[in-house]
Amino acid sequence: MGHFEARTDKGTGHVRVTLTGECDLAVRDELHAVLTAAVRAAPLVIVDLGALEFLDSSGVHGLIVAHHEAQARGARVTLVNPTGAVAAVLDLTGVGSLLGTPAGEPAPAGQRPDVAGGESAPVGKRPDVAGGESASSRHRTAVGDEQTRAGG
Amino acid sequence: MSDEFYETTYAEPGDLAKVREFVRTRAAHLGLPETRTELLTLAVSELATNTLQHTTGGGVVRLWADDGRVVCDVIDGGPVRTLGRGMPAADALRGRGLAIVERVCDEVGVDASEDGTRVRLALAVGRHEAGHPG
């Protein structure tokens, strides 16, 4: 499992923050600083989780803080490409639904800049989010259900 | 079987990755499938994070196999946790850690042991529909 890194790429009208490695309490301040700067830099912050190997409630806290900061500025934070245990955490907490593009509802043209840039993973293509909660879903081990992957 | 167990300790945020690697390696060795091992790893990491955020000390993690389950104790100097609070709203800032633990484990119990406050987790090694509380 890898060391946490956050890379920011500025686009036109958006900022893309790519997280890699493991995101936990040890990197809380770093995550907060990166996301705060991103929210201040553009009206749309795309957080790419495709290479993130671990996310816990500390990381979710950072995402939600950024979400609130964005809302206060009329901006938006959206999460793309979560896989495995990261997708499971977002699903369990409802944060995947809150900050992902709802399945079956493509983001408006011009609002999903480089999501398609070399990757086939559509925003919000999360069958287990679209399927809704059922009693048995509490036992779902979403880890491994989700094969959507970022390229790299 | 509980006389044979693996143990590690943690004292600062930089130890959390080490704790997760410990759980991944040992739980897999005890036969827990990969997806369930990741869930147990998440749960233990949440509890250890809780220790580091809400107590002045660290904690101990013990892990062993018992009756078709992998059982894991996380022991610290914090107060006895209240279970069953449920998952906060998606846009809430706090309160998710223990709720995540309760959702991903088959069994979660809390008691005061002679070493401190003990949270005991268990996941079934076999079929994952086994024994979820509530």
Side-chain angles (χ1 to χ4, degrees):
Chain A
M1 292 285 163
H3 186 70
F4 177 76
E5 284 181 28
R7 191 186 75 224
T8 301
D9 297 301
K10 184 88 170 71
T12 305
H14 74 279
V15 165
R16 187 180 193 90
V17 179
T18 303
L19 305 182
T20 58
E22 298 191 276
C23 184
D24 66 12
L25 181 66
V27 300
R28 179 180 54 181
D29 293 346
E30 184 180 354
L31 177 69
H32 181 245
V34 166
L35 292 179
T36 296
V39 165
R40 290 175 182 168
L44 174 63
V45 176
I46 300 165
V47 183
D48 191 333
L49 305 175
L52 192 65
E53 297 165 327
F54 180 83
L55 178 75
D56 68 2
S57 59
S58 305
V60 170
H61 173 80
L63 295 170
I64 293 298
V65 168
H67 167 64
H68 288 302
E69 289 177 346
Q71 279 194 317
R73 303 176 70 92
R76 191 159 70 90
V77 173
T78 189
L79 311 178
V80 298
N81 301 327
T83 66
V86 173
V89 169
L90 295 174
D91 189 22
L92 282 171
T93 57
V95 173
S97 300
L98 180 69
L99 300 184
T101 301
E105 182 188 308
Q111 290 250 320
R112 40 178 310 187
D114 44 36
V115 169
E119 297 169 7
S120 60
V123 180
K125 189 178 178 186
R126 298 267 317 280
D128 47 356
V129 170
E133 283 287 304
S134 66
S136 65
S137 73
R138 293 191 52 154
H139 301 293
R140 179 183 57 243
T141 51
V143 182
D145 288 1
E146 170 63 61
Q147 296 303 315
T148 310
R149 285 194 175 278
Chain B
M1 290 291 287
S2 60
D3 53 337
E4 279 184 32
F5 59 84
Y6 300 110
E7 181 177 295
T8 192
T9 60
Y10 57 94
E12 56 183 37
D15 292 337
L16 292 168
K18 182 195 72 172
V19 167
R20 289 194 294 273
E21 198 52 37
F22 166 86
V23 175
R24 281 187 191 106
T25 306
R26 303 307 183 190
H29 180 71
L30 294 172
L32 199 64
E34 185 180 348
T35 54
R36 313 220 81 216
T37 293
E38 280 303 311
L39 296 178
L40 179 62
T41 300
L42 170 64
V44 174
S45 194
E46 292 287 358
L47 291 171
T49 297
N50 197 284
T51 304
L52 298 175
Q53 286 187 301
H54 300 298
T55 79
T56 55
V60 180
V61 177
R62 293 192 185 117
L63 192 146
W64 66 95
D66 179 48
D67 192 25
R69 306 172 304 160
V70 169
V71 184
C72 187
D73 282 354
V74 180
I75 301 161
D76 68 16
V80 173
R81 273 77 155 182
T82 304
L83 298 176
R85 284 184 174 160
M87 188 66 70
D91 64 351
L93 283 174
R94 299 179 194 285
R96 294 184 175 84
L98 201 49
I100 290 173
V101 172
E102 291 190 72
R103 290 290 292 269
V104 302
C105 294
D106 294 327
E107 299 168 39
V108 181
V110 186
D111 63 12
S113 76
E114 58 189 29
D115 303 330
T117 296
R118 177 177 64 191
V119 181
R120 177 163 291 181
L121 312 173
L123 271 81
V125 170
R127 296 162 307 173
H128 62 74
E129 62 270 27
H132 194 297

